[in-house]
Amino acid sequence: MAVNGRQRLSDTERCVDEVIRRVGKTITLGLPLGLGKPVRLVNALYQRAKDDPEINLHIFTALSLLAPTGGSSLERRFMEPFAERLYGDIPDLQYARDVAKHRLPPNVQVSEFFFKAGSYLSNRGQQQNYVSTNYTHAVRDLMSLGVNVVAQMVSPGELHGSPGMVSLSCNPDLSLDLLPLLREREAAGTPVAIVGEINRQLPWFGRDAAVAEDDFDMVFEHQGSEYPLFSAPQMAISPADHLIGFFASTLLKDGGTLQVGIGSLGAALVHSAIFRHKNNDAWQAVFDHLQVAERFPLAGTEGGTGPFEKGLYGCSEMMVDGFLYLMEAGILRREVHDHADLQTLINNGEIDEQVSLATLDVLRREGLVESPMRARDVVWLQQHGILRDIVEFKGGRLLVGEHSLTADLDDPEARDAMTTFVLGDRLAGGVAMHGGFYLGPQKFYQSLRELSDADRDRICMTSVSFINHLYDHRFGNQRLKAAQRIHSRFINTAMMHTLSGEAVSDGLEDGRVISGVGGQYNFVSMAHELPDARSIIALRSARETQGTVVSNIVFNYGHCTIPRHLRDVVITEYGIADLRGQPDEQVYLRLIRIADSRFQQGLLSQAQKAGKVDTAFRLPASWLNNTPANIAKAFSEAGGEDWFPAFPFGRDFTDQELVLGKALNKLKTETATLRGKVSILLQAIRAKDEQGRYTELLQRMGLSQPSGLREKLDQRLVIHGLQLTENPPDTGNSKT
């Protein structure tokens, strides 16, 4: 069936045929990051390439999502029922599954610029094909690779009063810039194909995300095969994560701007921000108990402690589910407008969201409208809700029904009548959230589908060239962005942080890539360009690896994501380090102050040996309480799970799965070394569930009636893991 000169097809094979007819058998396929991949269409094209070795298929994308499978037999027993429940109705992304299993055919290559964290650490092919690029440079790199096919999942506009339109919804991030460039390439004589796959499960977003269906060469639609969206389950927030989130919440400025990413640290920040807003007395009690103002003055000078009376504006490449919770809590409500002068007047408090004659007087004073008003003044004022839509401008007069008024703002009678007939109630067209892509739990997707039209219109899904850059070729309005993004707090996470101020977020010193830089560098850099903006790097002070605790605050490291000249604010569970503009000695000491105390002396000795800290300096006694025991104590005294629950926004894991997951993680940690494996096996052989306490948990693992040596050993291992988590041993192993 033809639609507006384009083809809407109900068969993926016909779509593949048409793609090959248009561009031939050398295909460079650009796919969206994360959620927006059209799985059925991509699977059909990939299968065709597997069947036809004459096809040369190069897929360029990021964050290829797969349902978890588990590596060991115990992990598979745990994950398979969970994965079936969450992902059983979602088709597997076949090229990604073959990548994971090292079985791509020789005529197919997959290059990604961002991995799911750690997923390809041991995959040599993907490490070799990885493309290191800023998020904002991905379109440029796609074009240089010769992309000639783009495919994307879209939401249809028929049900939302927008026939002939589709929404890029979860992924306008790159597509808004890429599609016009492809059409330019086509006009220059290179064949291209732009393909959409309709999925009504995908929430509709208008504004920048809504594009004409005619922009696509073909659209695949088969309502019977539409599938649920791939979800990212909620992860537990630990006490340490909650403290990091609480410290970060003290740096949020009412009336400011927020960017935050996915994961438990971002969720912890969102929870504490809502806690601050809705239960401020209790939040203040925690603030005082932790002595935040006394220990970390930055919270008082550049943050805030009260409820968010003005609200926050979200500007984040990733719209995580936390932004929706902030909107529901009444925090994400500071709306920005697409006119720099108007936005500046709002920022300065000279006009507000409520429209009055004073609004017109200020706009006139600033030269934004004239008196008498002209036709273009009326159009502009209506765009922003200052004049009602029903107002007409004819013959130099304002017409509202039977009423005819002079457009002279100095006329007393006209001014009185304007208040009654002409003026709108409040400014219109404001945006509370600019996002580039989204990904989250199923609950999040359902909430997005159920948004009211008014709330949906307050969210603008758009290009990362707008969000991640102050300077860009497509939008180019640096002054507007600066006016919108006042008091910005760009909050990102890192794996490690060096004492000199470098953040290690995406890779290892041997060159292997954990994830990718994404947009982190963009936001950190922007924080140094915008007035009153701060970059905040959040990380846990330590981690356990191969049975040993190691510090995440390190003296140096052979790889960095953020260079030291962009150092700003760093937060661990032990506090806040304000590094901007500080001399090296202070930077080193402030980071040592928020490091785990098991590593502070070692870090200090390295710094002193290198001549970066005075050799006479000694660690103050007040710094030496940075221990997990004190974290547990502080967490308990601050209200524990009453105020800081592990899953404040719901969870996908059952109670049984939480218990089992903790036990399996403990086993994995304890068996990280050969010595640990032998020790655990010897202990597990003797483990028994004599009182039947674990019967239901063993049933969930399919091990209630084991047969064969492997299953019997697995059963004993699970029992031992459960016993370990009930009575954890005190090992105390650590190293710097």
Side-chain angles (χ1 to χ4, degrees):
M1 177 175 62
V3 180
N4 294 331
R6 305 300 177 189
Q7 298 182 73
R8 184 178 281 197
L9 305 173
S10 60
D11 185 281
T12 54
E13 295 303 319
R14 288 185 59 199
C15 286
V16 172
D17 289 340
E18 180 63 15
V19 166
I20 294 173
R21 186 192 69 79
R22 293 179 69 92
V23 305
K25 291 189 174 184
T26 299
I27 299 170
T28 302
L29 172 64
L31 296 175
L33 173 150
L35 186 61
K37 295 177 178 63
V39 180
R40 296 204 186 282
L41 198 58
V42 174
N43 283 351
L45 182 56
Y46 174 60
Q47 186 61 48
R48 184 71 65 88
K50 291 175 72 174
D51 295 339
D52 183 355
E54 292 184 2
I55 293 175
N56 184 5
L57 175 62
H58 184 186
I59 299 172
F60 186 92
T61 186
L63 202 59
S64 295
L65 301 170
L66 286 173
T69 57
S72 68
S73 61
L74 285 180
E75 288 176 343
R76 288 192 293 273
R77 286 179 179 276
F78 176 82
M79 291 305 309
E80 285 173 2
F82 174 78
E84 179 62 28
R85 191 169 72 243
L86 260 68
Y87 307 109
D89 294 330
I90 303 172
D92 229 12
L93 194 58
Q94 289 301 325
Y95 79 79
R97 186 63 70 193
D98 283 356
V99 164
K101 293 184 176 181
H102 308 277
R103 62 184 190 197
L104 277 181
N107 61 324
V108 178
Q109 177 181 335
V110 177
S111 299
E112 301 201 42
F113 67 87
F114 197 93
F115 299 150
K116 180 184 176 184
S119 60
Y120 294 140
L121 193 59
S122 300
N123 190 311
R124 291 190 175 189
Q126 289 312 100
Q127 290 291 331
Q128 292 163 12
N129 290 327
Y130 169 75
V131 176
S132 182
T133 187
N134 278 329
Y135 204 175
T136 45
H137 297 153
V139 167
R140 176 203 66 191
D141 294 341
L142 266 166
M143 295 300 293
S144 69
L145 283 170
V147 63
N148 57 2
V149 180
V150 167
Q152 177 157 350
M153 186 194 300
V154 294
S155 177
E158 290 93 337
L159 301 179
H160 300 276
S162 299
M165 305 290 286
V166 293
S167 175
L168 301 177
S169 187
C170 58
N171 282 103
D173 48 343
L174 301 179
S175 300
L176 284 175
D177 293 334
L178 181 59
L179 299 191
L181 293 176
L182 276 182
R183 290 303 180 206
E184 290 178 12
R185 176 166 285 177
E186 182 181 46
T190 300
V192 304
I194 301 174
V195 191
E197 179 178 305
I198 285 178
N199 191 335
R200 288 166 179 79
Q201 301 268 1
L202 193 63
W204 170 268
F205 283 101
R207 291 188 176 267
D208 293 356
V211 298
E213 186 173 324
D214 199 44
D215 289 347
F216 290 79
D217 295 309
M218 67 202 82
V219 175
F220 168 66
E221 179 186 29
H222 188 266
Q223 194 165 349
S225 67
E226 291 178 4
Y227 44 87
L229 305 180
F230 193 99
S231 65
Q234 295 281 6
M235 303 307 291
I237 305 176
S238 69
D241 292 351
H242 266 305
L243 285 173
I244 293 171
F246 186 86
F247 285 129
S249 76
T250 70
L251 299 181
L252 300 182
K253 190 87 167 179
D254 188 22
T257 303
L258 177 64
Q259 176 263 324
V260 69
I262 197 170
S264 61
L265 293 179
L269 173 275
V270 169
H271 171 73
S272 280
I274 295 172
F275 181 27
R276 169 179 157 184
H277 183 65
K278 301 188 81 170
N279 297 281
N280 190 250
D281 289 344
W283 186 94
Q284 292 271 5
V286 176
F287 182 88
D288 294 338
H289 176 73
L290 296 175
Q291 299 180 310
V292 178
E294 295 84 350
R295 296 164 59 212
F296 311 111
L298 186 69
T301 59
E302 298 203 22
T305 59
F308 296 94
E309 302 293 345
K310 298 176 183 177
L312 299 177
Y313 153 63
C315 187
S316 185
E317 63 182 16
M318 183 177 189
M319 183 174 73
V320 295
D321 56 326
F323 283 108
L324 198 61
Y325 307 137
L326 291 171
M327 182 178 282
E328 292 169 351
I331 297 173
L332 194 73
R333 69 171 188 277
R334 182 176 79 84
E335 296 183 3
V336 300
H337 298 266
D338 63 356
H339 191 283
D341 290 321
L342 177 64
Q343 187 63 53
T344 300
L345 292 171
I346 295 171
N347 295 347
N348 295 339
E350 297 187 64
I351 62 175
D352 58 33
E353 294 290 329
Q354 300 301 314
V355 174
S356 67
L357 282 172
T359 307
L360 284 177
D361 292 337
V362 170
L363 295 175
R364 177 190 178 188
R365 184 196 73 200
E366 297 299 317
L368 297 181
V369 297
E370 294 186 5
S371 179
M373 288 183 282
R374 303 155 301 172
R376 66 183 183 185
D377 294 326
V378 172
V379 171
W380 185 82
L381 291 167
Q382 287 178 322
Q383 285 177 343
H384 293 285
I386 299 166
L387 298 187
R388 296 180 186 178
D389 289 339
I390 59 173
V391 176
E392 297 181 75
F393 186 82
K394 290 184 179 180
R397 297 183 68 80
L398 303 176
L399 305 180
V400 185
E402 299 177 353
H403 302 279
S404 175
L405 315 175
T406 177
D408 187 350
L409 294 176
D410 293 322
D411 185 286
E413 292 185 10
R415 289 175 68 87
D416 289 342
M418 285 180 191
T419 302
T420 305
F421 303 113
V422 174
L423 291 181
D425 295 323
R426 66 188 309 275
L427 295 180
V431 172
M433 177 76 218
H434 277 107
F437 75 100
Y438 61 78
L439 177 68
Q442 286 295 340
K443 172 187 172 184
F444 175 46
Y445 302 146
Q446 187 62 30
S447 295
L448 292 180
R449 286 189 286 265
E450 294 173 353
L451 282 172
S452 67
D453 290 341
D455 282 341
R456 182 178 290 106
D457 197 51
R458 296 168 65 210
I459 298 172
C460 181
M461 299 301 298
T462 190
S463 166
V464 292
S465 64
F466 174 80
I467 295 167
N468 292 33
H469 264 329
L470 285 180
Y471 328 98
D472 67 83
H473 68 280
R474 183 169 181 264
F475 294 92
N477 198 336
Q478 177 190 346
R479 184 166 168 262
L480 171 64
K481 295 179 185 181
Q484 292 176 338
R485 299 173 192 184
I486 57 173
H487 304 299
S488 289
R489 300 295 180 262
F490 301 125
I491 303 176
N492 291 281
T493 60
M495 301 184 298
M496 291 176 280
H497 210 284
T498 70
L499 289 186
S500 65
E502 296 170 324
V504 182
S505 308
D506 71 321
L508 303 180
E509 61 186 349
D510 64 6
R512 286 181 296 163
V513 179
I514 298 290
S515 53
V517 64
Q520 184 174 117
Y521 182 91
N522 295 126
F523 286 108
V524 172
S525 177
M526 199 185 332
H528 289 267
E529 301 294 334
L530 285 169
D532 304 315
R534 301 304 298 261
S535 161
I536 299 169
I537 297 293
L539 75 160
R540 303 173 187 96
S541 67
R543 69 188 185 279
E544 189 169 339
T545 179
Q546 294 187 335
T548 302
V549 179
V550 297
S551 180
N552 288 329
I553 304 290
V554 297
F555 177 70
N556 59 2
Y557 194 70
H559 169 78
C560 84
T561 311
I562 305 300
R564 65 181 181 176
H565 66 271
L566 293 178
R567 60 197 184 194
D568 201 342
V569 179
V570 178
I571 297 178
T572 73
E573 65 269 35
Y574 298 115
I576 304 168
D578 182 9
L579 310 180
R580 181 185 287 189
Q582 295 299 314
D584 272 6
E585 184 178 46
Q586 277 300 307
V587 170
Y588 279 60
L589 290 176
R590 291 182 183 193
L591 286 167
I592 290 171
R593 184 184 183 186
I594 63 169
D596 188 300
S597 289
R598 290 170 286 185
F599 311 103
Q600 287 174 320
Q601 185 57 55
L603 291 167
L604 177 62
S605 297
Q606 286 179 286
Q608 290 173 326
K609 183 178 179 180
K612 302 304 289 188
V613 173
D614 191 323
T615 55
F617 183 85
R618 298 294 180 267
L619 293 170
S622 61
W623 291 18
L624 302 178
N625 297 317
N626 294 356
T627 65
N630 277 328
I631 287 294
K633 181 173 181 288
F635 182 74
S636 176
E637 292 174 350
E641 291 218 357
D642 289 340
W643 287 122
F644 299 100
F647 293 94
F649 307 117
R651 56 184 167 91
D652 295 294
F653 292 103
T654 65
D655 291 341
Q656 288 183 345
E657 287 166 346
L658 291 177
V659 174
L660 286 165
K662 187 177 180 181
L664 295 181
N665 282 331
K666 183 65 175 176
L667 286 174
K668 190 171 185 177
T669 300
E670 294 294 323
T671 58
T673 64
L674 178 59
R675 182 178 178 181
K677 285 184 174 72
V678 173
S679 175
I680 288 295
L681 283 172
L682 291 174
Q683 295 174 62
I685 289 170
R686 299 190 297 269
K688 295 181 180 179
D689 183 23
E690 293 177 342
Q691 298 178 352
R693 297 174 58 206
Y694 307 130
T695 300
E696 292 184 357
L697 295 171
L698 293 171
Q699 287 175 344
R700 164 60 180 80
M701 293 290 289
L703 292 170
S704 58
Q705 295 180 323
S707 62
L709 182 61
R710 175 75 260 179
E711 288 192 2
K712 289 178 180 178
L713 180 58
D714 279 351
Q715 185 199 59
R716 297 295 180 93
L717 284 167
V718 171
I719 293 170
H720 183 56
L722 291 167
Q723 292 170 341
L724 280 176
T725 52
E726 290 177 347
N727 303 290
D730 183 14
T731 60
N733 293 333
S734 65
K735 73 173 185 178
T736 302

